[in-house]
Amino acid sequence: MIEKAKTGQQRGGTKHENRIVGNQWSEWKPTGNQDLDAIRQILKEALEGGQSSMDLLNQKVQELIESKQKDTEMIEQLKQKTEELSRLLKEEREINEKHRTTQTQKEMTEKEKEITELRKETAGLKEETEKLKQEVESLRTSLSKAAGEKLTDGNPTITDLSDPNRPQKLCEKFNSLYDNLWTDAFEHVYKDENNEKFASGRLVDIFRKCWEFCCECADHQMEILQEKFVRPEVITEEMNRQGLTQTFSKSELKMIKDARKAVAKHTLVNLTQFYWKTKAKQQEVLRPYVEACMEICWYAAINDPKLDFSFDPTKNKDDFRGYTKSGKFVDYLVWPAMYLHSDGPLLYKGVVQLRDSERERDQI
């Protein structure tokens, strides 16, 4: 029992207390009741020292538990704050995204407004430019008419820019006719003739007859116009026999010619219909080609002076170019040459098929 008490005292007391007990115990010698009381006192002190150590230990444990609870609470609070911070960051990102989207939409709306304004400005500028073009064209037309009244009467070197069928424009149409409708017509005729020379000759002959017909009509029309101006229908044959004069000045003749040009498109419609029904005698598939030939020939015939065409390549070899073959001699005519007027400057080179072998009266 004493040994247990000694061991318990050493285990439960402080280092200082254990040292005292150990010293007392080593010096103790039993001497009766007095010694028993001493033992009891020592045991009591040992138990009290152990109890103090247990209380201290419990206190430390309690402190650790409380500290642990505080740490747990802090961890929980930190977790909550972390979650709150994550939520706030997420909301901030969403707000920023919405702001960027809104800002982008706002910028796009502003850009669209700017584009709309620019388009309006562009449309306004185009409209203003078109008006200026019309004004310039009107001034040019007026100037051309004023100059034409004084200079263009019978003068081929002065071009009336107000005339949509002036020689340069007719030359462009003449070129287009050969490049397009002539090619289509040639394919149809070639199927029937099965010969390039005959097919080309037939198309050239159509153009020649249109030109001769238009020249005849233009001359006759001019005579009738002059007569009707000075000899109205009310004049009787008796008055005609009295020798009424029919003379016009250059300016008066020019007015008649200009009047004829002013209604030329209406005249052309009737003239073409009449020619197709009575003179052309061609297949319906060739109607576009015939009508194009009539248009060029009529405007060329009423030009002042009238234009001219050459169907004889032997007269001037430099006014014609080769067709599909090269050579020194003419085989046949493919397309006539065009001139500003009779014996005038060349506007468009004619086309001939050439060959190497010589034949009578075919050498260029």
Side-chain angles (χ1 to χ4, degrees):
M1 178 179 179
I2 293 172
E3 187 66 26
K4 291 180 179 181
K6 181 178 178 180
T7 305
Q9 184 180 21
Q10 290 176 347
R11 293 178 179 177
T14 63
K15 291 182 179 180
H16 177 70
E17 292 171 346
N18 291 336
R19 187 169 60 252
I20 295 175
V21 173
N23 293 335
Q24 291 178 348
W25 192 264
S26 62
E27 295 177 355
W28 175 79
K29 294 180 182 180
T31 56
N33 292 332
Q34 184 179 2
D35 294 336
L36 185 57
D37 292 336
I39 292 171
R40 288 175 180 159
Q41 183 64 29
I42 291 169
L43 291 173
K44 182 179 179 181
E45 292 177 357
L47 290 173
E48 289 177 355
Q51 185 64 39
S52 298
S53 298
M54 289 297 292
D55 292 340
L56 182 60
L57 181 60
N58 287 332
Q59 184 180 354
K60 296 292 184 182
V61 171
Q62 187 64 31
E63 290 176 356
L64 288 173
I65 292 173
E66 292 176 356
S67 177
K68 181 67 175 176
Q69 289 177 349
K70 290 181 180 180
D71 291 342
T72 303
E73 291 176 357
M74 289 180 65
I75 291 172
E76 186 66 25
Q77 291 177 0
L78 182 60
K79 182 178 179 181
Q80 292 177 357
K81 290 183 178 180
T82 301
E83 292 177 353
E84 181 68 15
L85 181 60
S86 298
R87 185 182 63 79
L88 291 175
L89 289 173
K90 182 178 180 181
E91 290 179 356
E92 184 179 4
R93 285 195 300 270
E94 292 177 354
I95 292 173
N96 290 335
E97 185 65 26
K98 290 181 180 179
H99 178 71
R100 284 195 296 270
T101 303
T102 304
Q103 187 68 21
T104 303
Q105 292 177 349
K106 184 178 179 181
E107 292 176 356
M108 290 178 64
T109 302
E110 292 177 353
K111 292 295 184 183
E112 290 177 354
K113 289 182 179 179
E114 292 179 2
I115 292 172
T116 302
E117 291 296 327
L118 289 174
R119 286 177 177 174
K120 289 181 180 179
E121 292 179 4
T122 303
L125 290 173
K126 286 183 178 179
E127 184 177 355
E128 186 176 354
T129 302
E130 189 63 27
K131 288 181 180 179
L132 290 174
K133 286 182 178 179
Q134 292 177 359
E135 291 178 3
V136 170
E137 187 65 26
S138 177
L139 291 173
R140 181 183 296 171
T141 301
S142 300
L143 180 61
S144 298
K145 286 182 177 179
E149 291 177 355
K150 296 181 179 180
L151 301 174
T152 60
D153 185 26
N155 187 356
T157 60
I158 302 299
T159 301
D160 184 4
L161 298 179
S162 65
D163 185 2
N165 293 297
R166 56 188 180 272
Q168 290 78 5
K169 292 295 182 180
L170 290 177
C171 181
E172 293 175 4
K173 292 181 179 181
F174 189 64
N175 180 33
S176 178
L177 171 60
Y178 176 67
D179 288 340
N180 298 297
L181 291 177
W182 183 92
T183 303
D184 297 337
F186 180 83
E187 293 179 356
H188 294 293
V189 176
Y190 183 76
K191 290 179 181 179
D192 298 333
E193 303 288 352
N194 197 26
N195 185 293
E196 288 187 357
K197 182 176 181 178
F198 292 160
S200 299
R202 182 177 173 186
L203 296 180
V204 169
D205 188 60
I206 290 175
F207 186 86
R208 180 192 291 108
K209 288 180 178 179
C210 288
W211 173 238
E212 292 172 353
F213 174 77
C214 288
C215 287
E216 181 183 353
C217 290
D219 293 341
H220 185 60
Q221 184 189 47
M222 195 63 187
E223 293 176 0
I224 294 176
L225 287 173
Q226 294 182 59
E227 182 179 355
K228 293 301 180 183
F229 274 113
V230 297
R231 296 177 182 272
E233 295 295 332
V234 294
I235 295 180
T236 64
E237 289 295 329
E238 181 63 27
M239 295 177 69
N240 285 334
R241 286 195 294 270
Q242 294 178 4
L244 296 178
T245 59
Q246 180 179 325
T247 59
F248 292 93
S249 66
K250 287 186 177 180
S251 60
E252 291 171 339
L253 284 174
K254 186 179 185 311
M255 292 177 63
I256 296 174
K257 295 173 184 178
D258 290 342
R260 178 170 66 170
K261 283 186 176 182
V263 296
K265 62 180 180 180
H266 303 293
T267 307
L268 177 62
V269 173
N270 296 324
L271 202 63
T272 302
Q273 291 179 355
F274 173 79
Y275 183 80
W276 178 257
K277 292 179 180 179
T278 62
K279 303 289 185 177
K281 299 180 181 180
Q282 299 293 336
Q283 298 175 346
E284 184 66 28
V285 71
L286 296 180
R287 180 189 284 266
Y289 174 72
V290 173
E291 292 180 350
C293 291
M294 284 292 297
E295 179 183 3
I296 293 173
C297 291
W298 177 244
Y299 285 115
I302 65 174
N303 190 73
D304 187 28
K306 69 173 63 174
L307 277 65
D308 196 20
F309 298 92
S310 174
F311 299 89
D312 186 1
T314 62
K315 288 184 178 181
N316 194 336
K317 64 179 182 181
D318 294 330
D319 293 349
F320 293 83
R321 55 188 171 88
Y323 180 43
T324 60
K325 297 179 182 179
S326 61
K328 297 181 180 180
F329 307 97
V330 173
D331 189 2
Y332 56 88
L333 176 67
V334 177
W335 195 239
M338 184 180 190
Y339 300 90
L340 183 60
H341 54 83
S342 179
D343 298 324
L346 178 70
L347 291 178
Y348 187 86
K349 277 193 172 186
V351 182
V352 292
Q353 183 68 288
L354 301 175
R355 66 172 183 271
D356 291 327
S357 61
E358 182 179 2
R359 292 179 185 175
E360 187 178 357
R361 294 188 304 275
D362 281 346
Q363 185 174 359
I364 295 179

